[in-house]
C-alpha cells in the first residue's frame, strides 16, 4: 500500500530574515498535527496518569541524598551519604555497636584481661580467698617442683653447707601440712567472728527493748489522717497491675479444618456403633499385656493396699481388735500353708513298715476332699453359666440399642423420596440431627462434588417443608425447627437458595395466571405457599430496594390481595396472614403498600351489619353487596359475651369445618380483632407520611360512623379505640413539595458604553514607567489567555477520557442485558412449548 504524501500547502514553515550562529530554532518545518500529537502524548503521560491515580494515596519518593543532582560527583555522594548514616547512628544506637575500638568491662575489669585467664582458682581454698594460691604451691604442682627445690637448696647452702637438701616427697609433705595449718587458722578465725556477731546481736536485742518507744493512739490517728489518700488514677493503675494477663492460646482453626475434624469424629462414632450392632469386641480399648524382659528386676511395683493400722478408740481405749483378728487369720493361713508344704516335702519312698502301720484316716480325708472339690466345681460352673447368660443379655441389649441409635454418617440424598425416607418416622430433634450430620459429613471442602449435592439438598428440604404444611394436621412446629438448617444452607449457597425459591414463586404466579385465564378469578393458595413466603422473609433481606427473591415475593403477595376473591373464612385468615407478612416485609424500609390498606378496609366492610357505603369506596376483590359480604358479621349477643381474645394459628384453617356455631362466631370476632390490630400497626408505621390522613380517611370513616362498637365485647372496644387514636394523633412530619424560590433575573439595560478610540497599530507615548507597566500588563494578559487555553484543553481531554470509560461500561452493560434478554426469551419459548404440550396431552 502506497504511503500517503503530505500536502505541501499544509506544511508549516517559519522563515528567518537572517541566520544567527548558536541560536536554536523551533518548528522550522512542521507537519500538521505534530504539535497536537505531542501535546496529547504529554497529557497522557502526566494528566491521564494523575487522573487514574486520583484516589490512590501511596507515593514512592526517592529520598537518597543528591540522587538527581548531576553537579555532585558519585564519590562525593557516597562520602556524604556515609557521613549522614554515621551521624544518624551516633546517638543511642552506638551503645550497641560492638565494632567500635572501645574497652569493654565487666564489674570494673577489662574483658581482654579476663580472657587471658591469669587468675587460677584453687578448689580446696575457701570462698574468702578463692583464686589466691601461694607461689610455693603453684611452683610445686605446676612447675614440677624444680624451682622450689632449687630455691630451698640455695637457701640451705647459704645457711648450713653441711646439711643435705630434702627430697621432693618431704617437701610436698611439708607443703600439705602448711596448707592444712593455714586452713585451720582460717576456720578458727571464722568461728570467732561468728561468735562475736551472735554476741553482738544478743546485746543489741537487750538494748532495743530499752530504746523502743510506742507513739500514743491520738498521734497515730493524726498521722493516718495526714497521709494523702490515693488518687483515682493510682487506684486504677494498681488494679490493672493485679488483673490477670491474657494467656496465649492456640490459633483458631479454619472452617475447612473444623469440618475435617467433625467428619473424622462422626466416622469414628459410626464405626463404634456398627461394631456394637454386630456384637464385636473393642480390641483397641483392651489393655494388651506388656512385654517383660528377662533382665527385669520387677522393682516397679505399686502397693495396691495400705497396710498401715487405723488408729481408733472404743470406750476411751485404743481399739486394735480388727488388727488382731486379721493377724490370727494370717497365722492360720500360714499354718495351713506350712502343713501343705510339709506334706509335699515328705518323700515318696518310705519304708514298708510305716505303710503297714498307717491308719484309714488318710482315706477318709481324701474322700471328703474329693467331694468338696466336686461341689466347688459345680458351683463354679453354675456361676459361669449365670455370668454367660448375663453377658449374652447385656450384649443383646447393646446390639438392640446400637440398631435403634441414629447413624452418625449420612450421604446426601439424591432425590426427594430418599430424603423423605430418611426423615419420616423420626422426631423433630432427630430430623435436625440427621440434617446436621448430612451437612457435616458432606462439607464442600471435603470433596469436589459435595457443593452441588448440598445445593440440591436445599430444594429437597424446601419441598419437604411444603409437604409437611399440606398434611391434614400441619406440623408447624417441625417446620419452625427446620428453618434453621434451611438458613444454614442459604448462608452457604445463597445463589442456589435464591434460584430454588424463585422457582417456587414462579410456579405459583403461573398457576394463578392460568386459573384467572380458565376460571376468570383466582383463589388463595394453600398453606405451603404461605409458609414459603414466611420463610422468604427469614432467609433473605426484605429492606433492599430490589432483591431477586424478595421483590417477586412482594409482587406475588400484592396480587394475592387484589386478584383472589374472599369467599370463605379460610380466605379471610389467609388474607390477614398475607397482611401480617406485608408489615413484616416493610418494617425496616417503611415502604407504602396500598393493597394492604384496601384489604383491611374490605375486611372491616364484611363485618358490618348494614351495608351503607358513605365516605369510602371498595376495590376488587370486595363488593358492596353480595353473597360473601357478611362473612364476619356476628349477631348472636351471647357469643359476643363469651368471646375472649386469642391468637389465630395457621393450623385453624384446616379445622374450620369441624367447628360449632359458637366457635365460628368466636373465630369471626378474632379475625376482626386481628384486623383492628393490623390497622393500629399500619398507623404506627405510615404515620410519618405527608398524605397519611388522606390514605386512612376511608378506614377512619368506617371505624367512627359505621361499625357498631357498642355491641362488641370490651376487649374489642379497646382495640377499636387504640386503632382510632393511632390514626388520629399522627401529625404531618414532612412539608409538601414547593418549587425553589429563585432571585428574579433583572432586565437588560441598553445604556451606551463609551470607549476611547485609539489609533490602531501605534503604541501610545508616555513615560518609561508607564510603558513598562503596559508591557507587563500585556504579557500577563497573554500568559493568562495561554493558561486558560491549556486548562480548557486539559478539561476537554479529561472529558474525552471519561466519555470513553462511560461508553465502555455502557457497551458492556448492553452486551450483558442483551445476553440476559436472549436467555429469558429462550426460556419463555421453552415454557410456552411445554404448556402447549401439556394442554394437548
Amino acid at each position: 500500500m502506497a504511503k500517503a504524501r503530505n500536502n505541501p500547502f499544509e506544511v508549516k514553515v517559519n522563515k528567518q530574515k537572517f541566520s544567527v550562529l548558536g541560536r536554536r530554532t523551533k518548528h522550522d518545518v512542521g507537519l500538521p498535527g505534530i504539535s497536537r500529537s505531542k501535546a496529547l502524548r504529554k497529557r497522557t503521560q502526566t494528566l491521564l496518569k494523575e487522573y487514574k491515580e486520583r484516589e490512590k494515596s501511596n507515593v514512592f519518593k526517592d529520598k537518597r541524598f543528591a540522587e538527581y543532582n548531576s553537579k555532585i560527583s558519585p564519590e562525593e555522594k557516597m562520602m556524604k551519604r556515609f557521613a549522614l548514616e554515621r551521624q544518624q547512628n551516633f546517638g543511642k544506637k552506638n551503645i550497641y555497636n560492638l565494632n567500635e575500638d572501645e574497652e569493654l568491662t565487666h564489674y570494673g575489669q577489662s574483658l581482654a584481661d579476663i580472657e587471658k585467664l591469669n587468675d587460677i582458682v584453687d578448689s580446696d581454698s575457701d570462698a574468702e580467698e578463692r583464686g589466691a594460691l601461694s607461689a610455693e604451691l603453684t611452683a610445686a604442682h605446676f612447675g614440677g617442683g624444680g624451682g622450689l627445690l632449687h630455691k630451698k637448696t640455695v637457701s640451705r647452702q647459704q645457711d648450713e653447707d653441711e646439711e643435705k637438701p630434702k627430697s621432693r616427697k618431704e617437701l610436698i609433705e611439708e607443703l600439705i601440712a602448711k596448707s592444712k595449718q593455714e586452713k585451720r587458722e582460717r576456720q578458727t578465725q571464722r568461728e570467732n567472728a561468728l561468735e562475736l556477731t551472735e554476741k553482738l546481736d544478743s546485746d543489741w536485742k537487750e538494748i532495743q527493748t530499752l530504746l523502743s518507744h510506742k507513739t500514743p493512739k491520738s498521734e497515730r490517728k493524726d498521722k493516718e489522717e495526714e497521709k494523702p489518700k490515693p488518687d483515682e488514677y493510682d487506684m486504677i493503675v494498681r488494679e490493672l497491675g493485679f488483673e490477670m494477663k491474657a494467656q496465649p492460646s492456640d490459633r483458631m482453626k479454619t472452617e475447612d479444618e473444623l469440618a475435617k475434624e467433625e467428619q473424622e469424629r462422626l466416622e469414628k462414632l459410626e464405626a463404634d456403633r456398627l461394631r456394637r450392632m454386630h456384637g464385636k469386641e473393642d480390641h483397641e480399648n483392651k489393655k494388651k499385656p506388656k512385654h517383660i524382659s528377662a533382665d527385669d528386676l520387677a522393682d516397679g511395683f505399686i502397693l495396691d493396699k495400705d497396710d498401715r493400722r487405723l488408729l481408733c478408740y472404743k470406750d476411751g481405749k485404743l481399739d486394735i481388735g480388727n488388727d488382731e483378728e486379721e493377724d490370727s487369720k494370717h497365722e492360720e493361713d500360714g499354718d495351713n500353708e506350712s502343713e501343705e508344704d510339709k506334706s509335699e516335702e515328705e518323700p515318696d519312698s518310705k519304708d514298708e513298715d510305716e505303710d503297714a502301720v498307717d491308719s484309714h484316716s488318710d482315706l477318709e480325708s481324701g474322700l471328703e476332699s474329693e467331694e468338696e472339690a466336686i461341689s466347688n466345681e459345680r458351683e463354679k460352673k453354675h456361676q459361669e453359666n449365670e455370668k454367660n447368660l448375663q453377658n449374652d443379655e447385656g450384649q443383646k441389649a447393646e446390639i438392640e440399642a446400637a440398631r435403634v441409635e441414629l447413624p452418625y454418617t449420612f450421604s446426601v440424598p439424591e432425590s426427594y423420596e430418599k430424603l423423605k425416607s430418611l426423615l419420616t418416622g423420626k422426631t423433630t430433634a432427630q430430623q435436625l440431627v440427621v440434617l446436621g450430620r448430612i451437612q457435616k459429613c458432606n462439607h464442600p471442602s471435603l470433596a469436589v462434588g459435595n457443593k452441588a449435592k448440598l445445593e440440591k439438598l436445599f430444594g429437597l428440604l424446601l419441598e419437604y417443608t411444603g409437604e409437611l404444611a399440606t398434611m391434614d394436621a400441619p406440623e408447624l412446629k417441625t417446620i419452625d425447627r427446620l428453618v434453621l438448617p434451611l438458613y444454614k444452607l442459604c448462608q452457604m449457597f445463597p445463589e442456589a437458595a435464591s434460584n430454588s425459591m424463585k422457582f417456587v414463586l414462579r410456579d405459583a404466579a403461573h398457576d394463578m395466571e392460568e386459573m384467572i385465564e380458565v376460571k376468570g378469578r383466582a383463589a388463595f393458595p394453600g398453606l405451603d405457599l404461605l409458609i414459603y413466603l414466611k420463610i422468604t422473609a427469614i432467609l433473605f433481606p426484605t429492606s433492599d430496594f430490589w432483591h431477586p427473591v424478595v421483590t417477586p415475593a412482594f409482587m406475588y403477595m400484592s396480587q394475592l390481595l387484589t386478584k383472589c376473591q374472599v369467599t370463605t373464612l379460610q380466605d379471610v385468615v389467609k388474607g390477614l396472614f398475607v397482611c401480617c407478612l406485608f408489615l413484616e416485609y416493610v418494617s425496616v424500609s417503611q415502604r407504602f403498600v396500598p393493597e394492604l390498606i384496601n384489604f383491611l378496609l374490605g375486611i372491616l366492610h364484611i363485618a358490618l351489619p348494614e351495608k351503607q357505603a358513605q365516605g369510602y369506596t371498595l376495590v376488587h376483590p370486595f363488593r358492596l353487596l353480595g353473597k360473601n359480604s357478611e362473612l364476619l358479621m356476628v349477631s348472636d349477643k351471647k357469643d359476643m359475651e363469651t368471646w375472649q381474645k386469642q391468637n389465630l394459628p395457621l393450623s385453624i384453617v384446616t379445622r374450620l369445618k369441624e367447628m360449632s356455631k359458637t366457635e365460628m362466631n368466636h373465630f369471626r370476632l378474632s379475625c376482626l380483632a386481628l384486623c383492628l390490630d393490623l390497622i393500629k400497626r399500619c398507623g404506627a408505621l405510615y404515620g410519618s407520611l405527608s398524605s397519611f390522613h388522606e390514605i386512612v380517611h376511608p378506614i377512619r370513616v368506617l371505624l367512627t360512623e359505621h361499625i357498631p362498637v357498642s355491641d362488641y365485647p370490651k376487649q374489642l372496644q379497646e382495640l377499636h379505640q387504640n386503632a382510632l387514636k393511632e390514626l388520629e394523633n399522627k401529625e404531618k412530619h414532612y412539608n409538601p413539595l414547593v418549587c425553589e424560590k429563585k432571585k428574579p433575573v433583572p432586565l437588560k439595560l441598553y445604556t451606551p458604553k463609551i470607549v476611547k478610540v485609539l489609533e490602531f497599530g501605534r503604541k501610545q507615548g508616555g513615560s518609561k514607567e508607564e510603558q513598562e507597566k503596559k508591557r507587563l500588563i500585556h504579557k500577563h494578559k497573554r500568559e493568562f489567555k495561554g493558561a486558560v487555553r491549556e486548562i480548557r484543553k486539559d478539561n476537554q481531554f479529561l472529558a474525552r477520557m471519561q466519555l470513553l470509560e462511560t461508553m465502555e461500561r455502557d457497551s458492556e452493560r448492553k452486551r450483558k442485558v442483551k445476553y440476559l434478554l436472549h436467555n429469558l426469551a429462550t426460556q419463555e419459548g421453552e415454557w410456552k412449548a411445554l404448556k402447549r404440550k401439556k394442554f394437548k396431552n
Side-chain angles (χ1 to χ4, degrees), residues 531-546:
I531 294 295
Y532 288 152
L533 293 173
K534 176 68 176 176
I535 292 173
T536 302
I538 297 172
L539 299 184
F540 303 100
T542 57
S543 61
D544 293 355
F545 181 76
W546 184 88

Side-chain angles (χ1 to χ4, degrees), residues 457-688:
L457 178 64
F458 181 87
L460 299 178
L461 190 58
L462 201 65
E463 187 178 354
Y464 179 71
T465 54
E467 185 174 346
L468 291 178
T470 55
M471 295 172 65
D472 295 335
E475 298 182 5
L476 297 180
K477 293 183 178 179
T478 305
I479 294 173
D480 187 24
R481 299 290 298 278
L482 289 177
V483 172
L484 182 60
L486 281 172
Y487 181 79
K488 291 180 179 178
L489 289 171
C490 181
Q491 294 298 315
M492 292 173 68
F493 315 107
E495 188 175 356
S498 62
N499 292 334
S500 300
M501 193 62 73
K502 282 192 292 185
F503 182 77
V504 172
L505 295 174
R506 194 185 302 116
D507 284 352
H510 284 304
D511 292 342
M512 182 187 292
E513 291 177 359
E514 288 179 1
M515 190 178 293
I516 292 173
E517 290 177 0
V518 175
K519 296 182 179 180
R521 59 185 178 85
F524 278 94
L527 195 58
D528 53 347
L529 273 173
L530 299 179
I531 294 295
Y532 288 152
L533 293 173
K534 176 68 176 176
I535 292 173
T536 302
I538 297 172
L539 299 184
F540 303 100
T542 57
S543 61
D544 293 355
F545 181 76
W546 184 88
H547 192 273
V549 180
V550 178
T551 303
F554 204 94
M555 299 299 296
Y556 179 69
M557 288 193 297
S558 63
Q559 290 178 0
L560 289 179
L561 295 184
T562 53
K563 294 183 179 180
C564 298
Q565 292 186 356
V566 181
T567 57
T568 60
L569 290 175
Q570 287 91 337
D571 297 338
V572 173
V573 175
K574 292 176 181 178
L576 290 174
F577 180 74
V578 174
C579 292
C580 294
L581 286 179
F582 259 127
L583 289 176
E584 184 179 352
Y585 273 55
V586 301
S587 60
V588 179
S589 61
Q590 296 184 354
R591 188 179 301 174
F592 178 67
V593 185
E595 295 86 358
L596 173 63
I597 304 297
N598 293 330
F599 192 85
L600 294 177
L601 180 65
I603 293 295
L604 290 177
H605 176 75
I606 63 177
L608 296 178
E610 297 178 0
K611 313 296 182 184
Q612 296 178 358
Q614 297 177 359
Y616 66 93
T617 55
L618 292 176
V619 296
H620 190 78
F622 296 97
R623 296 178 182 177
L624 185 63
L625 297 172
K627 179 181 177 182
N628 303 317
S629 61
E630 297 179 353
L631 282 175
L632 295 182
M633 191 179 70
V634 180
S635 58
D636 194 348
K637 294 185 179 180
K638 292 182 179 180
D639 294 342
M640 288 186 181
E641 292 175 356
T642 57
W643 175 79
Q644 290 183 355
K645 184 183 176 183
Q646 57 184 359
N647 296 326
L648 289 176
L650 273 177
S651 58
I652 201 171
V653 177
T654 59
R655 294 187 280 109
L656 286 176
K657 296 180 181 179
E658 302 173 359
M659 290 184 179
S660 61
K661 184 179 179 181
T662 303
E663 291 177 348
M664 293 290 286
N665 288 333
H666 288 174
F667 177 73
R668 292 187 178 96
L669 292 173
S670 298
C671 291
L672 183 58
L674 179 59
C675 179
L676 292 173
D677 190 18
L678 290 174
I679 291 171
K680 179 183 175 183
R681 290 170 61 185
C682 287
L685 185 64
Y686 299 128
S688 60

Side-chain angles (χ1 to χ4, degrees), residues 89-98 102 104:
N89 297 330
F90 181 71
K92 295 181 179 180
K93 295 182 180 179
N94 62 349
I95 61 175
Y96 303 108
N97 192 358
L98 300 180
E102 296 177 357
L104 302 177

Side-chain angles (χ1 to χ4, degrees), residues 16 26 98 126 133 192 209 216 302 332 358 360 370 388 428 459 515 559 650 713 787 828 835:
Q16 291 181 349
K26 296 182 180 179
L98 300 180
D126 295 325
L133 292 176
N192 293 333
T209 55
I302 299 173
E332 290 176 0
D358 193 4
H360 298 285
E370 288 178 0
N388 291 331
T428 306
M515 190 178 293
Q559 290 178 0
L650 273 177
E828 187 177 3
K835 281 175 63 178

Side-chain angles (χ1 to χ4, degrees), residues 33-90:
I34 290 179
S35 60
R36 191 181 302 168
S37 62
K38 286 184 178 180
L40 182 63
R41 192 183 308 114
K42 190 174 182 181
R43 284 191 177 92
T44 52
Q45 292 175 358
T46 57
L47 188 61
L48 183 61
K49 190 175 181 181
E50 291 179 1
Y51 174 72
K52 289 182 178 179
E53 296 178 355
R54 63 189 181 277
E55 295 178 355
K56 297 180 181 179
S57 60
N58 52 345
V59 179
F60 180 77
K61 293 182 180 180
D62 193 355
K63 293 185 178 181
R64 290 178 290 180
F65 177 77
E67 179 63 22
Y68 302 103
N69 193 352
S70 60
K71 296 181 181 179
I72 304 175
S73 62
E75 291 79 7
E76 292 178 355
K77 288 181 185 179
M78 297 302 292
M79 291 295 292
K80 187 65 177 176
R81 288 176 185 175
F82 182 72
L84 288 173
E85 186 178 358
R86 297 284 294 179
Q87 188 177 358
Q88 289 176 358
N89 297 330
F90 181 71

Side-chain angles (χ1 to χ4, degrees), residues 266-512:
L266 291 175
E267 288 178 353
K268 187 176 180 182
L269 291 173
E270 178 64 15
D272 187 27
R273 187 187 72 84
L274 293 174
R275 179 191 56 76
R276 288 186 281 109
M277 188 174 69
H278 295 299
K280 296 179 181 179
E281 295 182 357
D282 190 2
H283 298 289
E284 294 180 358
N285 296 332
K286 277 191 173 183
K287 292 184 179 179
K288 297 179 180 180
K290 293 182 180 180
H291 174 70
I292 301 174
S293 64
D295 300 331
D296 192 5
L297 300 176
D299 55 352
F301 62 89
I302 299 173
L303 294 174
D304 294 333
K305 295 182 180 179
D306 192 0
D307 296 335
R308 293 176 294 177
R309 293 184 178 182
L310 181 64
L311 183 63
C312 60
Y313 291 89
K314 188 175 183 181
D315 298 334
K317 295 181 181 180
L318 184 64
D319 186 13
I320 56 173
N322 296 331
D323 296 338
E324 290 177 353
E325 291 177 1
E326 290 178 0
D327 294 339
S328 62
K329 286 180 182 179
H330 287 302
E331 288 176 359
E332 290 176 0
D333 295 339
D335 295 339
N336 294 331
E337 289 175 359
S338 62
E339 289 176 0
E340 290 175 0
D341 295 338
K342 288 179 182 178
S343 62
E344 289 176 357
E345 288 175 358
E346 288 179 355
D348 295 334
S349 60
K350 288 189 177 181
D351 297 335
E352 295 178 358
D353 298 337
E354 292 177 357
D355 294 337
V357 177
D358 193 4
S359 62
H360 298 285
S361 61
D362 295 335
L363 295 174
E364 293 174 359
S365 63
L367 291 171
E368 291 176 359
S369 61
E370 288 178 0
E371 290 176 358
E372 289 178 359
I374 292 168
S375 61
N376 291 333
E377 287 179 0
R378 289 177 180 174
E379 289 179 358
K380 287 180 181 179
K381 288 181 181 179
H382 182 65
Q383 290 176 0
E384 288 177 359
N385 292 331
E386 289 181 352
K387 286 182 180 179
N388 291 331
L389 288 173
Q390 291 177 359
N391 292 334
D392 293 340
E393 290 176 358
Q395 191 173 5
K396 288 179 181 178
E398 188 177 359
I399 292 170
E400 191 64 28
R403 286 177 180 172
V404 174
E405 190 178 355
L406 285 174
Y408 289 93
T409 56
F410 292 93
S411 59
V412 181
E414 298 178 355
S415 62
Y416 176 70
E417 288 75 14
K418 291 184 179 180
L419 178 66
K420 189 176 178 182
S421 63
L422 278 176
L423 300 180
T424 50
K426 294 181 177 63
T427 61
T428 306
Q430 290 177 344
Q431 291 181 17
L432 291 175
V433 171
V434 169
L435 292 173
R437 290 175 180 175
I438 288 174
Q439 295 180 28
K440 291 175 182 177
C441 295
N442 302 275
H443 196 268
S445 63
L446 300 176
V448 178
N450 287 348
K451 183 180 178 182
K453 294 178 181 178
L454 290 178
E455 287 177 352
K456 188 178 179 182
L457 178 64
F458 181 87
L460 299 178
L461 190 58
L462 201 65
E463 187 178 354
Y464 179 71
T465 54
E467 185 174 346
L468 291 178
T470 55
M471 295 172 65
D472 295 335
E475 298 182 5
L476 297 180
K477 293 183 178 179
T478 305
I479 294 173
D480 187 24
R481 299 290 298 278
L482 289 177
V483 172
L484 182 60
L486 281 172
Y487 181 79
K488 291 180 179 178
L489 289 171
C490 181
Q491 294 298 315
M492 292 173 68
F493 315 107
E495 188 175 356
S498 62
N499 292 334
S500 300
M501 193 62 73
K502 282 192 292 185
F503 182 77
V504 172
L505 295 174
R506 194 185 302 116
D507 284 352
H510 284 304
D511 292 342
M512 182 187 292

